[in-house]
Amino acid sequence: MAEDSMDKPFIVTCTAPVNIAVIKYWGKRNEDLILPINSSLSVTLHQDQLKTTTTVATSRSFQEDRLWLNGKEEDITHPRLQSCLREIRRRARKRHNDGDPDPDTTGLSQKVHICSVNNFPTAAGLASSAAGFACLVYSLAQVFGVDGELSAIARQGSGSACRSMYGGFVQWIMGNRDDGKDSLAHQVEPETHWPQLRILVLVASAERKPIGSTSGMQTSVQTSCLLKHRAESVVPRRMVEMTEAVRRKDFPAFAELTIKDSNQFHATCLDTYPPIFYLNSVSQQVIHLVHRYNKHYGETRVAYSFDAGPNAVIFTLQQHVPEFVRVVQHFFPPDTNGEDFIKGLPVKHAALSEELKQEIGLEPIPRGINYIISTKAGPGPRVVEDPSQHLLSPDGLPKKL
Ligand code: DP6
């Protein structure tokens, strides 16, 4: 092989999804290995709307590991990033030493260049770290020829990232071993299981969240006895009920559990000392709106869930989307009524009855919601085959800085 072709980098690009927990993870029993105090369950969102794209390149000519996030070079020494890199290299080496006849050992000792972008605002409470670490681990695994179970590696980047390693409905079983080997994500049902289910992300604010999940949950573990009760006595039962509701496609059961679990998570935040507030007045208005909407119809048609930020994630069935979106638009009037307000899957127009408006009866909050992302459950990480999509050029530097 000619010298210059040996120096040509090996480049792989992958994408990974965001996930939204309907049974929340909050609290660790081991900070380094990222082992949770309870199991959790999530829905993987479709990558057509929300995804991270990551390109990893290895080359003999690279002097050091380097990382670019959303166009900016970042510090690669971040401990969680190092955990993922170390673990992938360890698994690649093990495979090589175990005498795999054809291990893809490309660059086992070579340095990596990593470039990653999100197609949604970072740190807006949209679980960007989950998609980010899932994509990193999946891409590194392709480059170093590591296969098999990868969720335990993604978990060491960010707890919720282990659930983004699968599509559809995913549970993260907390495990009980000290080495974390049994703390893994598993798919409950694939993304094709419940085609009528729709998800609307109501983006209330694109600002950085006040307290990050990592430090927030640390304080909660130290100070909240409600969190202890939740982890020990509430979540185990809810995991069984939620899995059943998903399997049966029982929307009212799924919705009620989703709402209760989101509310209990935020109650543990308030029970934390000093208390943590992730919800704002817009979030509260969404909560009232959903309950009054459901009451109007005498059935649970819509559910909400909030992570460590004020954005509401709405779950509903396809047939209710047009009217519910109109309700949101009415009570959070945007500056323009144009298509800009609704991104993602197209939403049909629906009429809104005076009766429904009156029964909801809330004071509208103009511009309270910036926009809605309309999406559904989607698949897990993917390899992007088209080389024109690589974020790194053959010299190993980002294409567009
Ligand atoms: C509220 O996974 O971001 O979104 O493990 O410290 O990185 P670290 O925390 P992270 O926490 C997510 C918390 C949550 C609930 C959830 O996704 O289950």
Side-chain angles (χ1 to χ4, degrees):
M1 204 189 291
E3 191 56 32
D4 59 320
S5 72
M6 280 176 74
D7 280 349
K8 244 177 102 187
F10 179 56
I11 308 182
V12 173
T13 299
C14 299
T15 63
V18 164
N19 73 78
I20 299 293
V22 289
I23 300 291
K24 306 287 185 194
Y25 146 57
W26 195 251
K28 299 180 186 64
R29 61 179 201 277
N30 180 318
E31 293 283 334
D32 295 328
L33 291 171
I34 311 198
L35 301 178
I37 58 168
N38 61 258
S39 297
S40 54
L41 197 147
S42 59
V43 183
T44 297
L45 306 192
H46 205 289
Q47 295 181 49
D48 281 354
Q49 281 74 48
L50 298 158
K51 69 174 174 209
T52 296
T53 304
T54 301
T55 297
V56 174
T58 53
S59 164
R60 284 195 334 157
S61 64
F62 293 168
Q63 303 295 308
E64 53 184 353
D65 291 338
R66 289 176 76 180
L67 166 76
W68 292 265
L69 289 184
N70 294 309
K72 220 177 123 243
E73 180 149 24
E74 299 280 348
D75 183 7
I76 191 109
T77 64
H78 189 286
R80 288 174 170 203
L81 225 139
Q82 288 297 322
S83 301
C84 294
L85 266 167
R86 200 174 43 240
E87 197 53 28
I88 286 278
R89 283 180 165 136
R90 193 187 65 77
R91 290 260 290 262
R93 214 165 292 124
K94 182 170 185 304
R95 194 178 154 180
H96 183 59
N97 294 343
D98 286 353
D100 189 304
D102 184 28
D104 181 1
T105 51
T106 319
L108 241 179
S109 57
Q110 290 174 7
K111 301 295 180 196
V112 289
H113 283 191
I114 303 162
C115 186
S116 190
V117 295
N118 295 329
N119 67 348
F120 55 91
T122 308
L126 287 178
S128 60
S129 68
F133 276 106
C135 206
L136 173 79
V137 168
Y138 195 77
S139 315
L140 286 171
Q142 310 301 316
V143 167
F144 289 109
V146 173
D147 49 19
E149 217 295 315
L150 295 174
S151 78
I153 308 180
R155 190 200 73 224
Q156 294 175 57
S158 180
S160 54
C162 71
R163 299 185 313 238
S164 275
M165 297 305 280
Y166 297 97
F169 302 83
V170 184
Q171 52 179 334
W172 172 14
I173 302 292
M174 63 177 287
N176 48 37
R177 285 173 59 141
D178 286 344
D179 63 7
K181 291 223 163 76
D182 56 352
S183 189
L184 307 171
H186 305 269
Q187 187 176 63
V188 175
E189 291 288 353
E191 60 276 15
T192 48
H193 170 69
W194 199 350
Q196 301 81 10
L197 189 70
R198 287 289 176 278
I199 299 141
L200 304 168
V201 183
L202 311 189
V203 180
S205 140
E207 289 158 26
R208 268 182 179 271
K209 54 192 175 191
I211 300 174
S213 334
T214 306
S215 69
M217 66 176 82
Q218 244 166 20
T219 318
S220 297
V221 169
Q222 285 156 11
T223 61
S224 168
C225 41
L226 176 58
L227 180 62
K228 192 170 150 50
H229 167 70
R230 164 181 167 71
E232 285 170 6
S233 313
V234 181
V235 173
R237 197 176 54 242
R238 279 191 186 161
M239 283 297 291
V240 176
E241 289 168 358
M242 186 58 101
T243 309
E244 274 306 301
V246 167
R247 291 216 162 109
R248 292 196 314 267
K249 292 181 265 186
D250 178 344
F251 187 80
F254 169 84
E256 201 174 301
L257 281 163
T258 297
I259 289 175
K260 286 184 172 169
D261 205 72
S262 172
N263 288 339
Q264 189 176 68
F265 155 50
H266 290 279
T268 66
C269 290
L270 189 60
D271 189 49
T272 298
Y273 192 85
I276 305 168
F277 303 93
Y278 288 121
L279 307 181
N280 62 18
S281 56
V282 170
S283 325
Q284 261 184 48
Q285 172 109 323
V286 172
I287 292 174
H288 288 311
L289 193 152
V290 167
H291 286 286
R292 290 181 195 184
Y293 183 82
N294 287 338
K295 182 161 175 263
H296 174 82
Y297 285 106
E299 62 180 21
T300 315
R301 290 191 174 184
V302 175
Y304 55 82
S305 184
F306 297 85
D307 280 342
N311 299 330
V313 178
I314 298 290
F315 294 88
T316 189
L317 296 174
Q318 197 174 6
Q319 67 262 35
H320 306 311
V321 169
E323 188 187 60
F324 188 74
V325 164
R326 284 286 293 145
V327 170
V328 172
Q329 208 158 353
H330 179 82
F331 289 100
F332 299 96
D335 268 344
T336 59
N337 260 351
E339 286 99 58
D340 277 3
F341 189 61
I342 303 157
K343 303 180 197 294
L345 295 176
V347 175
K348 290 203 187 93
H349 184 79
L352 206 53
S353 74
E354 279 309 314
E355 202 194 333
L356 176 57
K357 277 191 240 175
Q358 267 173 27
E359 189 158 342
I360 293 176
L362 293 161
E363 188 61 41
I365 305 182
R367 295 173 302 281
I369 287 171
N370 285 343
Y371 56 93
I372 299 177
I373 305 168
S374 159
T375 186
K376 58 184 182 180
R382 289 277 185 272
V383 176
V384 179
E385 303 291 351
D386 176 4
S388 74
Q389 301 299 306
H390 291 329
L391 302 174
L392 293 166
S393 42
D395 63 359
L397 293 174
K399 280 186 179 164
K400 285 173 283 187
L401 263 180

